[in-house]
Amino acid sequence: MTGLSFRLVQASLAALFALFPAAAFAQVGQPVQGQLGFQDSVTPIMDSIVSFHDHLLMWVITGIVLMVLVLLIIVILRFNQRTNPVPARFTHNTLIEVVWTVVPVLILIVIAIPSFGVLADQETVPDGERLYLGSAIFSGGNVEVPEPTLTIKATGYQWYWGYEYVDDGFDFVSVMLNDEQLATTKPDEPRLLAVDQEIVVPVNTTVRVLVTAADVLHAFAVPSFGIKVDAVPGRLNETWFNARKTGMYYGQCSELCGKDHAFMPIAVRVVEQDQYDAWLAAAETGDFTGANMLLAQAD
């Protein structure tokens, strides 16, 4: 197989795989080896992102890939030296130049308009009445989200995260476990994502997250929640999530922040309301070891 033929096969396979964005490899809460699609969605924000991706963006991208592939094949077959020994001498075609300018602009407009609703979902904290249009664009109905009942401030440091439960008056730092700590304390959790103390929140609860940094730029991102927010020194950014399924969800700093950028993960444990109440009562006294033991016993 020639290099050109191999590239054509690669392009064809890429277009085929693009038709299956929600691959069976996807798993809630964390990435898995061989995964093709997003992590499973557990929030309204991520629902809107998945809908936008699966029902519009991927089809547009697939159409563009197939169109370019067809054009390449036509050029290869029709304008090679054997079938077209005398090349054309024209230098431009006004109609084609207009088309390849106007059509991409129209495609970008089609993509941009629904993306505004998706972006608005992420940037606007629910007030209990607002209907979130981003998740309804392709799913066929509006989604109403209750206003936040829990506020957590996340502060990025080189290279770990600090969390403050603003309404409850306590805070803690969250540091990635090294291999030895992971093997002895949390052997079932993923390497480079497990932390010594995760965020704990109740299920089906709207959580406001205030994000900042103490030194350099960081970014707070949890893929299953569909949130990614810059952490900027001296500035307080805001996002939110409402997780509908219990479990452990992982994220990472998503802004290059120094030599240990890859080693400041985010872990969020979503639990039932009664488990959260018990954990909160112990955490407010500073007894995080006892608080986490309560969760372990409940599991």
Side-chain angles (χ1 to χ4, degrees), residues 151-232:
T151 300
I152 298 174
K153 181 180 179 182
T155 303
Y157 299 89
Q158 292 178 304
W159 287 272
Y160 60 93
W161 290 95
Y163 301 109
E164 177 185 354
Y165 281 62
V166 176
D167 302 322
D168 301 296
F170 67 89
D171 60 81
F172 57 87
V173 297
S174 179
V175 181
M176 188 191 78
L177 298 177
N178 60 35
D179 290 345
E180 181 180 352
Q181 293 169 325
L182 183 65
T184 56
T185 60
K186 298 182 177 181
D188 296 330
E189 294 193 25
R191 182 176 179 269
L192 302 182
L193 290 177
V195 298
D196 58 351
Q197 178 59 57
E198 58 270 358
I199 304 170
V200 180
V201 300
V203 70
N204 295 321
T205 298
T206 303
V207 180
R208 175 191 284 112
V209 185
L210 307 176
V211 182
T212 188
D215 35 47
V216 299
L217 291 176
H218 300 277
F220 186 88
V222 182
S224 288
F225 295 170
I227 58 175
K228 179 184 288 188
V229 184
D230 285 340
V232 182

Side-chain angles (χ1 to χ4, degrees), residues 23-82:
F25 294 111
Q27 178 173 320
V28 170
Q30 67 186 74
V32 295
Q33 187 171 356
Q35 181 173 330
L36 294 179
F38 293 125
Q39 294 178 28
D40 287 351
S41 171
V42 294
T43 69
I45 296 176
M46 190 59 183
D47 290 346
S48 66
I49 293 173
V50 171
S51 292
F52 175 63
H53 174 271
D54 290 359
H55 299 143
L56 174 63
L57 195 58
M58 186 53 68
W59 291 104
V60 172
I61 294 172
T62 301
I64 292 172
V65 169
L66 293 176
M67 181 184 70
V68 172
L69 177 62
V70 169
L71 292 175
L72 283 173
I73 293 173
I74 291 173
V75 169
I76 292 168
L77 297 178
R78 184 175 178 183
F79 297 105
N80 60 61
Q81 186 176 10
R82 183 177 59 186

